[in-house]
Amino acid sequence: MKHRLIAFALCFVMLVAALVGCTTYESNTVLATVYVYIPDGKLIVNGKCNGYQLGSDGFIVVTIDGVRYKTHTSNVTIIETDG
């Protein structure tokens, strides 16, 4: 049990360290397509990303065509390509 807790803590620390630099995105130099899903996997909306803000609570605010969507990060897929 102790090894599982240590492994979980290590994975959590690595995840947090990877997300430290990913707090906001508001640039027109990177083209991004966003897919927003509901928890059962059904696609709600997709389109060109006008910007997103990643919160520290696991939620993300995504702007697609001027409409803002707030959802959990597990329900969003962002595909970035160089412009």
Side-chain angles (χ1 to χ4, degrees):
M1 183 69 175
K2 181 179 177 183
H3 295 292
R4 288 184 183 179
L5 289 175
I6 292 172
F8 176 77
L10 182 61
C11 289
F12 183 76
V13 168
M14 289 176 14
L15 175 66
V16 170
L19 294 176
V20 167
C22 301
T23 56
T24 61
Y25 163 75
E26 295 287 343
S27 175
N28 292 331
T29 59
V30 176
L31 299 175
T33 303
V34 178
Y35 298 89
V36 180
Y37 300 91
I38 58 175
D40 70 354
K42 182 179 177 185
L43 179 66
I44 299 173
V45 65
N46 66 335
K48 182 182 173 204
C49 180
N50 300 111
Y52 64 83
Q53 295 178 337
L54 183 60
S56 61
D57 56 353
F59 284 88
I60 187 169
V61 178
V62 180
T63 306
I64 302 172
D65 299 327
V67 180
R68 298 182 74 171
Y69 300 92
K70 182 177 181 180
T71 186
H72 194 268
T73 54
S74 63
N75 299 330
V76 175
T77 302
I78 300 173
I79 301 172
E80 295 181 347
T81 57
D82 292 333

